[in-house]
């Protein structure tokens, strides 16, 4: 939504129109859908709204109108997207026709505003393909509102931005910018210990109790670093890291992974590095070491490569 709005902000400014994005707070942080198509539809509708609005405002909105869960545990959210304007509106008898290719609301449109009459036909088709229906409410002289509803899979991740995170209690002045850290660890005591240490230092920690869950989260959520227990149920940390690294081959990215293991045996460090981990902490955890290794690893990975 924001990227569609951003690309026509200049047009709105030139025409003296107020253009806003209104995104409902109750929407989940992450849903999966076809971002490219969605952006194209919103861009078509917003460009039209700006074109046919001499004064007033254009609002691009998204709100959750329902949420639920499938039998297999997958959660979904019904999202309603809308683009409304205070423009010239569309006469009732033209409201169905304008969705047909090469149709415009009235014959003088082409002369006055240009256009091909294709934008809405394409948008309706794209919304169909995404499983929704593009609809219209309009009153001539008052404005129009185009809207559609899509059922989107809610991803399990809550990608909180630590910069928005309002921690409570006394925190020491952080030594670096807050990091988003994924902690893959099944042991509740260790989880609490790590969370407390890192959050006190201004970082934000998400927990995944298994290697599989960690991989799922990494698919949808951007983190700065992963702390990975080597022994976990469902999938161990070494396997999870190998899969993560093979996925990264196509994206060219590299999320630093620090191994945590109770087996401080010789050869463990090599096994972790071989699996694609960046560093290694042995358990029981020494909290100062933990913080130092986390921050040093994150700092290293933020440095530009040496040419
Ligand atoms: P184009 O804008 O290229 O003519 P579209 O298919 O996007 O083609 O739109 C078809 C017609 O629908 C437009 O020519 C215009 O008459 C009408 N229309 C579309 N959006 C709006 C709007 N927000 N307000 C008023 N009329 C609109």
């Amino acid at each position: 939504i924001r990227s569609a709005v951003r690309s026509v902000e200049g047009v709105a400014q030139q025409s003296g129109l107020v253009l806003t994005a209104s995104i409902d707070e109750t929407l989940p942080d992450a849903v999966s859908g076809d971002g490219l198509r969605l952006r194209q539809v919103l861009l078509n509708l917003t460009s039209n709204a700006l074109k046919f609005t001499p004064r007033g405002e254009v609002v691009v909105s998204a709100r959750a109108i329902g949420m639920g869960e499938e039998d297999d545990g997958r959660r979904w959210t019904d999202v309603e997207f809308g683009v409304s304007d205070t423009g010239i509106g569309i006469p009732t008898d033209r409201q169905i026709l304008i969705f047909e290719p090469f149709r415009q609301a009235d014959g003088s449109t082409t002369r006055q505003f240009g256009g091909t009459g294709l934008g809405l036909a394409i948008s309706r088709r794209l919304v169909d393909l995404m499983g929704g229906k593009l609809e219209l409410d309009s009153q001539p002289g008052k404005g129009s509102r185009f809207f559609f509803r899509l059922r989107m899979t809610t991803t399990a991740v809550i990608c909180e931005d630590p910069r928005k995170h309002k921690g409570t209690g006394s925190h020491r002045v952080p030594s670096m910018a807050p990091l988003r850290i994924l902690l893959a660890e099944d042991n509740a005591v260790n989880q609490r210990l790590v969370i407390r240490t890192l959050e006190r230092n201004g970082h934000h920690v998400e927990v995944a109790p298994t290697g599989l869950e960690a991989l799922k989260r990494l698919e949808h959520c951007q983190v700065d670093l992963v702390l990975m227990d080597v022994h976990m149920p469902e999938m161990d940390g070494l396997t999870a890291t190998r899969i993560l690294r093979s996925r990264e081959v196509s994206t060219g990215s590299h999320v630093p992974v620090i191994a945590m293991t109770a087996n401080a045996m010789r050869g463990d460090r090599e096994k972790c590095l071989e699996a694609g981990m960046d560093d290694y902490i042995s358990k029981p955890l020494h909290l100062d070491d933990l913080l130092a290794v986390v921050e040093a690893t994150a700092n290293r990975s933020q440095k530009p490569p040496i040419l």
Side-chain angles (χ1 to χ4, degrees), residues 48-49 51-52 85 88-90 98 103-106 109 114-121 144 146:
N48 273 350
K51 193 156 93 174
F52 297 107
D85 65 58
I88 61 173
I90 298 161
I98 54 161
R103 291 294 195 123
Q104 297 183 318
D106 81 75
T109 297
T116 56
L118 274 175
L120 284 178
S144 310
F146 288 85

Side-chain angles (χ1 to χ4, degrees), residues 18 27-28 36 58 61 65 82 89 91 109 114-115 157 173 210 220 228-229 243 258 269 276 279 287 307:
V18 178
L27 276 173
L36 211 63
V58 171
S61 63
I65 52 167
T109 297
V157 205
V173 179
T210 70
H220 304 289
M228 184 85 84
D229 185 17
I243 297 175
I258 301 174
R269 188 185 159 80
D279 213 327
L287 300 182
L307 296 173

Side-chain angles (χ1 to χ4, degrees), residues 93 145 161 268 280:
D93 61 334
R145 178 167 184 271
D161 185 342
D268 261 11
Y280 172 98

